[in-house]
Amino acid sequence: MIRLFDTTLRDGEQTPGVSLSPDEKLEIASALSDIGIDVIEAGSVIASPGERTAVRMIADAGLRAECCSYVRALPVDIDYAIECGVDSVHLVVPVSDLHIEKKMQKTREEVFSMAMDAVMYAKDHGLTVELSGEDASRADLQFLKTMYTEGVDYGADRLCFCDTVGLMTPERVGKEIPPLCIAPLSIHCHNDLGFALANTIAALHAGASCAHVCVNGLGERAGNTPLEEVVMALQVLYNEKTNIKTEHIYHLSTLVSRHTGIARATNKAIVGEMAFTHESGIHAHGLLRDTRTYEPISPDMVGRSRRIVLGKHSGKASVETALADLEYHPNERQLQAIVERVKELGDQGKRITDVELMTIADSVMMLECSPIITLRQFTIVSGSNALPTASVTLLVNGEEITSAAVGAGPVDAAIIALQRSVSATGDIMLEEYHVDAIHGGTNAMVDVMVRLRKDDQVLTSRGARTDIVEASVEAVIAGMNRLLRGKYDERSTDTS
Ligand code: MN
């Protein structure tokens, strides 16, 4: 069983521009504990009073996972950790001459004795100690080994090798890690050259028993080893177990992305938008016959679902499947006509949303579709002295409904007001919101794409306007109209 030490709330929070409130940290820590993380590095207690509040809240939350704080080899740091009630400390000591001389302006001997004093002090106060060599990949290996050996003699429970600036290679890891496994050893890798996952896996095979990870690969600069990649690589490629409940990975990833404000790269392994999305007609065809043809792992293993996106490469089989998902069952001739229209749109470089596909199908199959909702007006108030407020008037099934809402911003306020207006007709959730500016100045078109959910029905929809609020409102209303129309039982499958 490989252990996982998650540092999303410490190294991950050191991602430039990221700052989490104590409540957000607690919510993420609970999710980390629930998913099966063994140790949560909740923060660095020396950082700020707010950070200590967060660490204390996490330590007091009664989570299953061990609660840890980052500390330097200084009594003041350890005192704060004790005060916050953590189970353990990640005691980080610079070990390369570069860090010792330039950053610390000390000698090896001075740093060594500070480290031993700190280990003893923390152990005297009942803390579990993970003694960590910072910049270990550029340290003198003999010095590092002595530090680890004596550290364990002074009571350190575990050790950690930090590739602080991501300079290791799997080959070096294979040679250098085995002699350092004097006690349970963690590996802490950074992704500066894209080697974090490879080095982490190599270290686990060389005798390390625990991987330091961050959700979505957050962390300083290019980030740390991504939690989701290590867990799935171990399980799928090496048949190694962790305590992680993989089916909750996507939910955790989304929570972290939302709270940190750091979007996942669309092609990010496991959690990126495109990781389980297929377009090519040929591939989708094979996929529909047997998903193993183009899916190395099944999306439900990580709590996701497969998406077939339509575009110019789309073949008949994938268009037919997408239509069937939306409860459209065209005959052969109608299907051919729909495929042609989809390819025309795809040739314009567009990804076709569900609502666009439904509009095409309606017109080809000559189906009547009068909107349930029409927009009468919307008004937005925002500015430096006003809470963003929206009022929206809709005609819903012929009845005029006006709702107002306050939001985090003008778009948020408008969407909340829309949701209120239709809430009597059906609960519609906004699952995803995506904006592309079509290049130009501040008068450029913005293309808003939304994903909406009503019960188990999910739809994508688009709005394109120069006004971002108007584009958002248009996309949401178009999607709502389709969702509220509900199932399509009465629809004829052949109108020819
Ligand atoms: Mn780090």
Side-chain angles (χ1 to χ4, degrees):
M1 182 75 73
I2 305 283
R3 285 163 51 84
L4 290 160
F5 176 115
D6 183 279
T7 180
T8 306
L9 299 177
R10 200 274 301 169
D11 217 326
E13 208 197 8
Q14 288 168 220
T15 305
V18 172
S19 179
L20 298 163
S21 71
D23 285 333
E24 289 170 331
K25 284 195 146 201
L26 179 61
E27 193 184 348
I28 292 172
S30 306
L32 288 168
S33 181
D34 291 346
I35 205 173
I37 286 290
D38 299 281
V39 185
I40 296 170
E41 189 169 30
S44 170
V45 283
I46 197 70
S48 70
E51 184 84 337
R52 288 191 282 284
T53 303
V55 173
R56 201 174 296 117
M57 279 163 64
I58 294 167
D60 289 348
L63 303 180
R64 186 203 48 78
E66 176 185 314
C67 177
C68 178
S69 173
Y70 176 98
V71 292
R72 299 166 302 171
L74 293 171
V76 55
D77 287 35
I78 297 165
D79 284 339
Y80 275 136
I82 296 162
E83 217 177 87
C84 292
V86 298
D87 304 307
S88 63
V89 286
H90 177 212
L91 172 53
V92 180
V93 181
V95 288
S96 68
D97 290 338
L98 181 67
H99 276 229
I100 290 170
E101 286 162 19
K102 300 286 181 204
K103 185 175 86 164
M104 306 284 285
Q105 301 193 306
K106 293 199 183 310
T107 63
R108 284 189 188 182
E109 292 68 32
E110 286 169 321
V111 165
F112 189 91
S113 74
M114 282 171 73
M116 297 309 124
D117 289 347
V119 170
M120 279 195 294
Y121 189 66
K123 287 309 298 177
D124 281 348
H125 289 86
L127 293 165
T128 296
V129 174
E130 180 155 327
L131 175 61
S132 197
E134 184 180 16
D135 204 25
S137 46
R138 288 189 291 188
D140 177 273
L141 278 174
Q142 200 47 56
F143 176 66
L144 180 61
K145 190 169 180 185
T146 310
M147 173 86 78
Y148 282 168
T149 310
E150 302 256 327
V152 171
D153 285 348
Y154 278 96
D157 303 273
R158 308 188 293 249
L159 302 169
C160 176
F161 183 103
C162 295
D163 183 20
T164 303
V165 291
L167 289 172
M168 277 309 259
T169 61
E171 293 78 12
R172 273 186 62 202
V173 167
K175 281 202 281 288
E176 293 174 20
I177 291 295
L180 298 174
C181 297
I182 300 151
L185 183 78
S186 298
I187 181 75
H188 178 107
C189 294
H190 278 268
N191 208 28
D192 295 75
L193 288 159
F195 269 43
L197 175 65
N199 288 331
T200 298
I201 298 282
L204 294 171
H205 280 261
S209 54
C210 175
H212 281 207
V213 293
C214 281
V215 177
N216 299 340
L218 292 178
E220 288 193 271
R221 305 181 310 282
N224 290 76
T225 308
L227 163 70
E228 58 280 4
E229 292 180 16
V230 177
V231 169
M232 295 317 293
L234 285 172
Q235 180 172 328
V236 174
L237 303 176
Y238 296 94
N239 204 21
E240 291 261 22
K241 294 253 175 301
T242 65
N243 282 320
I244 301 299
K245 300 182 188 86
T246 61
E247 64 277 17
H248 298 307
I249 283 179
Y250 190 64
H251 173 76
L252 173 66
S253 160
T254 304
L255 177 72
V256 169
S257 176
R258 182 152 48 89
H259 283 334
T260 57
I262 304 284
R264 295 165 290 213
T266 52
N267 61 343
K268 166 83 181 61
I270 315 294
V271 294
E273 192 195 342
M274 296 304 165
F276 297 98
T277 301
H278 308 269
E279 180 181 320
S280 162
I282 303 158
H283 284 189
H285 198 54
L287 193 78
L288 296 172
R289 289 196 174 143
D290 187 335
T291 56
R292 290 171 305 174
T293 50
Y294 289 99
E295 243 169 29
I297 66 171
S298 166
D300 50 5
M301 278 174 84
V302 294
R304 303 195 64 180
S305 49
R306 175 178 312 119
R307 270 168 68 196
I308 307 278
V309 169
L310 301 179
K312 67 173 175 180
H313 303 290
S314 300
K316 230 162 69 172
S318 36
V319 175
E320 190 173 22
T321 305
L323 286 166
D325 283 349
L326 298 167
E327 318 243 332
Y328 282 83
H329 303 282
N331 64 27
E332 187 59 30
R333 193 182 47 76
Q334 292 168 333
L335 178 61
Q336 193 53 51
I338 295 169
V339 170
E340 276 163 30
R341 299 267 288 269
V342 164
K343 282 180 187 285
E344 272 169 36
L345 264 183
D347 271 336
Q348 295 164 21
K350 277 202 183 169
R351 204 173 101 188
I352 291 109
T353 64
D354 298 327
V355 167
E356 285 161 334
L357 179 64
M358 292 163 96
T359 306
I360 293 171
D362 282 342
S363 86
V364 168
M365 296 166 76
M366 291 182 286
L367 297 166
E368 196 66 36
C369 171
S370 52
I372 293 169
I373 306 171
T374 21
L375 178 67
R376 275 292 170 86
Q377 70 84 32
F378 76 90
T379 311
I380 303 291
V381 180
S382 77
S384 55
N385 284 321
L387 283 173
T389 308
S391 96
V392 174
T393 307
L394 300 177
L395 213 53
V396 183
N397 286 323
E399 186 194 347
E400 196 170 278
I401 301 176
T402 300
S403 300
V406 172
V411 172
D412 190 45
I415 307 297
I416 297 170
L418 280 175
Q419 284 168 325
R420 283 195 186 148
S421 298
V422 299
S423 62
T425 319
D427 254 344
I428 293 177
M429 309 282 295
L430 178 66
E431 283 207 329
E432 210 175 294
Y433 178 87
H434 183 87
V435 187
D436 278 319
I438 298 165
H439 290 286
T442 47
N443 61 349
M445 283 281 271
V446 288
D447 190 357
V448 171
M449 230 165 82
V450 296
R451 192 155 82 207
L452 301 172
R453 175 185 289 274
K454 177 175 180 282
D455 308 322
D456 59 349
Q457 262 188 292
V458 181
L459 273 188
T460 53
S461 168
R462 166 184 278 128
R465 298 275 168 178
T466 50
D467 180 324
I468 187 169
V469 181
E470 208 178 343
S472 308
V473 166
E474 180 182 271
V476 170
I477 288 181
M480 282 176 164
N481 264 321
R482 295 298 180 157
L483 283 173
L484 291 175
R485 222 162 51 149
K487 301 288 180 188
Y488 311 96
D489 311 326
E490 73 285 4
R491 177 159 315 154
S492 133
T493 57
D494 188 355
T495 56
S496 61

